C-alpha cells in the first residue's frame, strides 16, 4: 500500500478524530502507514482491535502500523508488546503532527514504541478542523471530550481524561466549514456531550451551543446529537426539542440499566423515575420523537428481578433503537471487583434483552407505515428519517434530502415510495 489508511473502532468522536489523525500524519510526512484508532468500551472492542492489527500486518508486511485511541491510552504496554505494532500514540498525541514525526524506526521494542502522556494532566481541548468525514454523508463535529464522572463499569475517563469543551466560536466555525462542503446534517459528538461548557467562561450549555449553531449557520438543515445523559439536559435543549424543526426528533440516551439499585452500583446519577419522567416530558413537547439507548445486561450483582426491571424500563419508555451490551469487566474499574454474574447467564440475558429490543424496534417501524418522512440518503443505498430510522433508498443519490411515503418494513428497515425531492 501507499499513503495513510485509518481503521476506526468505537464512537462517532473516534470517527471525527480519525479525519484529524489522517491530516496530521500527512502533514508530518508519514506515508505507507496504517493508523488503528481503538476503542476500550468493552473487552470485545479491544479484541477486535488486536485482531485488526494482526490482519493488517499479514496483509501489509512492510507498512508501519501505529496504534492509538482509548485502548492504547489505557493499556499502551500490551499494544507495544505486539510484534506487529511499530508505535503507540495516546489520545492527545494522535491529534498532533509532531508525534507522527517522532515515530521510531522499524524494529524497536517495548517502551521505545510508546508516546502516551498522562491524559489527566490535559486541561484544554484544541479545536480540530476537518473539511469532510470520509465515507459519511453526515458531518460529525466534536464539541467536547473526556468525562468528570466515574461510573463503576467505565474505563473511558482514563482513556479520555477529564471533561474539556471546544469553545463555542470554534464549533460554529467548523459547522460552517462542513456546511460549505455540502453536509446538510451535522451530529454534535463528545464523550459526555451534555456536560459541554462547564469548563468554559460563562458556562454555556449544550442546548445554548446548539441554538447558536443553528442561528449562525442556517445552511445546516438537520442537527443531531450523539449520546446524551438526560439528567444534564438544560432548558435551551428543551426549547429546541419543542420549537426547532431543524433539531432532529431523536435522542440517544445513556440509560445503562432500569433497576435503581444497579444504577446506584453503577454510580449513575439518574434513577428509573428520572428516565421515565424525562421521556414523558420530551414526548409531550415532540410527539414524533424516537429514543435510542444503551443498556448493559449482566452487570455484577444483577438478579433476575433486576434484569426484568431493565427490560421493563425499555418497554415503558418505548426505546425504538436499543443498543445492548453484555457486561464486560474492564480491569481497574470498581465493577470488575464486584460479585460477577456467570458469563453464560450474562450472554443469555443480553440475548433476551435484544429480543425485547427487536420487538420494540418492529413496533416503532410499524407505527411509521403510511407516514411521509424526509430522509437523508446515505452512501450505501439507505437513508435516515428525522427520527433516525433506516429506510431502503436504493437508486437515490447520496446526500439528497427527499420526501418519501413509508409503505412497509422488513423488521429491520423501512420501505418507501418517493414522494418529492426536498429543496436544496
Amino acid at each position: 500500500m501507499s499513503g495513510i489508511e485509518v481503521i476506526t473502532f468505537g464512537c462517532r468522536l473516534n470517527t471525527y478524530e480519525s479525519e484529524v489523525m489522517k491530516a496530521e500524519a500527512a502533514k508530518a510526512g508519514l506515508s505507507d502507514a496504517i493508523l488503528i484508532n481503538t476503542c476500550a468500551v468493552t473487552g470485545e472492542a479491544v479484541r477486535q482491535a488486536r485482531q485488526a492489527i494482526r490482519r493488517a500486518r499479514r496483509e501489509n508486511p512492510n507498512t508501519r502500523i501505529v496504534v492509538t485511541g482509548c485502548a492504547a491510552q489505557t493499556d499502551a504496554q500490551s499494544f507495544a508488546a505486539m510484534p506487529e505494532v511499530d508505535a503507540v500514540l495516546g489520545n492527545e498525541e494522535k491529534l498532533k503532527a509532531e508525534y507522527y514525526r517522532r515515530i521510531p524506526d522499524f524494529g524497536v521494542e517495548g517502551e521505545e514504541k510508546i508516546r502516551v502522556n498522562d491524559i489527566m494532566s490535559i486541561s484544554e481541548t484544541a479545536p480540530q478542523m476537518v473539511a469532510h468525514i470520509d465515507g459519511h454523508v453526515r458531518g460529525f463535529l466534536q464539541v467536547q471530550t473526556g468525562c468528570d464522572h466515574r461510573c463503576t463499569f467505565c474505563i473511558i475517563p482514563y482513556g479520555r481524561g477529564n471533561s474539556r469543551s471546544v469553545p463555542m466560536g470554534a464549533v460554529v466555525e467548523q459547522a460552517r466549514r462542513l456546511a460549505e462542503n455540502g453536509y446538510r446534517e451535522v451530529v454534535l459528538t463528545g464523550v459526555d456531550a451534555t456536560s459541554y461548557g462547564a469548563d468554559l467562561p460563562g458556562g454555556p450549555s449544550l442546548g445554548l451551543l446548539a441554538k447558536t449553531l443553528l442561528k449562525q449557520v442556517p445552511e445546516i438543515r438537520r442537527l443531531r446529537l450523539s449520546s446524551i445523559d438526560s439528567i444534564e439536559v438544560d432548558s435551551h435543549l428543551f426549547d429546541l426539542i419543542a420549537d426547532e424543526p431543524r433539531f432532529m426528533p431523536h435522542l440517544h440516551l445513556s440509560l445503562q440499566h432500569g433497576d435503581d439499585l444497579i444504577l446506584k452500583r453503577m454510580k449513575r446519577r439518574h434513577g428509573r423515575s428520572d428516565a421515565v419522567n424525562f421521556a414523558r416530558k420530551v414526548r409531550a413537547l415532540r410527539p414524533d420523537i424516537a429514543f435510542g439507548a444503551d443498556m448493559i445486561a449482566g452487570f455484577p450483582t444483577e438478579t433476575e428481578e433486576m434484569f426484568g426491571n431493565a427490560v421493563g424500563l425499555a418497554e415503558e419508555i418505548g426505546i425504538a433503537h436499543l443498543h445492548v451490551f453484555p457486561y464486560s469487566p474492564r480491569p481497574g474499574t470498581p465493577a470488575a471487583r464486584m460479585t460477577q454474574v456467570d458469563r453464560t447467564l450474562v450472554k443469555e440475558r443480553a440475548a433476551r434483552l435484544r429480543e425485547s429490543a427487536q420487538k420494540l424496534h418492529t413496533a416503532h417501524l410499524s407505527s411509521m407505515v403510511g407516514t411521509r418522512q424526509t430522509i437523508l440518503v446515505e452512501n450505501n443505498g439507505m437513508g435516515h428519517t428525522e427520527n433516525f430510522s433506516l429506510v431502503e433508498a436504493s437508486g437515490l443519490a447520496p446526500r439528497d434530502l427527499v420526501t418519501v411515503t413509508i409503505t412497509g418494513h422488513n423488521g429491520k428497515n423501512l420501505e418507501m415510495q418517493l414522494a418529492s425531492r426536498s429543496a436544496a
Side-chain angles (χ1 to χ4, degrees):
M1 65 166 287
S2 61
I4 300 168
E5 177 185 354
V6 184
I7 299 173
T8 306
F9 294 88
C11 61
R12 294 186 179 101
L13 182 54
N14 256 11
T15 299
Y16 177 84
E17 289 177 337
S18 287
E19 293 299 321
V20 180
M21 287 164 50
K22 184 183 283 189
E24 292 297 302
K27 189 188 302 182
L30 190 66
S31 62
D32 296 323
I34 298 175
L35 315 180
I36 299 180
N37 199 4
T38 64
C39 172
V41 167
T42 65
E44 176 62 17
V46 177
R47 186 193 70 79
Q48 289 177 2
R50 293 185 186 280
Q51 190 177 55
I53 292 166
R54 296 186 184 102
R55 185 187 309 114
R57 176 56 73 218
R58 286 195 306 271
E59 296 174 356
N60 304 275
N62 300 314
T63 297
R64 286 188 176 182
I65 294 178
V66 180
V67 180
T68 184
C70 289
Q73 179 73 45
T74 57
D75 195 7
Q77 281 75 18
S78 72
F79 285 99
M82 296 180 69
E84 298 88 353
V85 174
D86 295 299
V88 179
L89 299 185
N91 263 333
E92 183 73 7
E93 290 77 10
K94 73 182 183 183
L95 304 175
K96 297 178 179 178
E98 62 187 275
Y99 289 98
Y100 292 101
R101 295 190 188 100
R102 298 182 198 171
I103 288 175
D105 294 332
F106 287 99
V108 299
E109 297 181 0
E111 295 291 331
E112 295 177 88
K113 299 179 181 180
I114 298 173
R115 303 289 187 274
V116 178
N117 70 2
D118 175 12
I119 197 71
M120 295 299 179
S121 69
I122 307 300
S123 58
E124 295 181 345
T125 289
Q128 305 290 343
M129 296 296 172
V130 300
H132 71 284
I133 310 295
D134 192 30
H136 292 269
V137 302
R138 291 177 290 141
F140 302 145
L141 176 49
Q142 179 188 2
V143 302
Q144 179 271 346
T145 190
C147 186
D148 291 338
H149 312 301
R150 297 295 181 265
C151 297
T152 59
F153 56 86
C154 188
I155 196 69
I156 297 306
Y158 306 100
R160 288 283 180 176
N162 293 316
S163 182
R164 303 169 323 271
S165 306
V166 178
M168 190 180 294
V171 174
V172 171
E173 181 183 350
Q174 172 64 13
R176 187 173 289 117
R177 186 175 185 183
L178 289 170
E180 289 170 353
N181 282 288
Y183 287 93
R184 295 176 167 188
E185 179 172 311
V186 167
V187 185
L188 304 185
T189 69
V191 175
D192 181 26
T194 33
S195 71
Y196 176 84
D199 57 321
L200 296 177
S205 66
L206 180 65
L208 181 59
L209 171 67
K211 274 186 178 179
T212 303
L213 190 154
L214 286 170
K215 181 179 180 180
Q216 297 193 15
V217 191
E219 298 83 2
I220 296 296
R221 297 287 300 278
R222 301 179 14 154
L223 183 67
R224 204 179 291 279
L225 304 181
S226 60
S227 180
I228 65 168
D229 194 337
S230 61
I231 206 74
E232 293 182 314
V233 169
D234 67 291
S235 60
H236 291 293
L237 203 50
F238 282 120
D239 291 343
L240 287 173
I241 293 167
D243 301 324
E244 176 52 75
R246 290 191 293 157
F247 185 83
M248 293 297 93
H250 167 256
L251 294 174
H252 189 86
L253 311 177
S254 181
L255 290 181
Q256 308 306 342
H257 213 274
D259 181 84
D260 280 331
L261 185 54
I262 291 293
L263 288 168
K264 185 176 181 179
R265 288 171 178 165
M266 287 179 164
K267 211 172 178 181
R268 300 294 294 167
R269 290 168 300 141
H270 70 272
R272 180 192 181 91
S273 63
D274 295 317
V276 171
N277 292 336
F278 174 80
R280 287 175 178 166
K281 180 176 181 178
V282 169
R283 275 219 173 90
L285 295 172
R286 193 82 173 263
D288 62 333
I289 200 154
F291 293 109
D294 297 324
M295 274 198 171
I296 296 172
F299 186 80
T301 76
E302 181 188 77
T303 64
E304 186 64 25
E305 180 182 0
M306 292 169 173
F307 171 71
N309 287 335
V311 175
L313 180 64
E315 293 173 346
E316 185 172 359
I317 291 177
I319 302 297
H321 314 287
L322 182 61
H323 295 179
V324 177
F325 297 88
Y327 172 74
S328 174
R330 310 304 294 129
T333 61
R337 300 189 294 272
M338 296 179 186
T339 302
Q340 304 293 303
V341 176
D342 179 80
R343 293 307 304 169
T344 301
L345 187 55
V346 170
K347 293 177 182 178
E348 186 264 337
R349 286 178 179 168
R352 286 162 54 196
L353 187 53
R354 289 190 183 107
E355 287 178 8
S356 295
Q358 181 57 52
K359 292 177 182 177
L360 290 167
H361 185 60
T362 300
H364 166 71
L365 296 180
S366 296
S367 73
M368 295 184 68
V369 175
T371 65
R372 286 168 69 93
Q373 301 287 330
T374 301
I375 66 170
L376 176 64
V377 183
E378 308 277 352
N379 291 320
N380 58 357
M382 305 296 290
H384 277 106
T385 65
E386 292 187 346
N387 67 18
F388 206 61
S389 302
L390 270 173
V391 182
E392 296 181 357
S394 58
L396 299 178
R399 292 198 181 189
D400 265 5
L401 271 174
V402 298
T403 301
V404 302
T405 298
I406 303 302
T407 58
H409 68 84
N410 59 14
K412 183 179 180 182
N413 305 319
L414 293 166
E415 297 158 349
M416 63 84 186
Q417 184 177 56
L418 184 64
S420 65
R421 294 185 182 276
S422 178

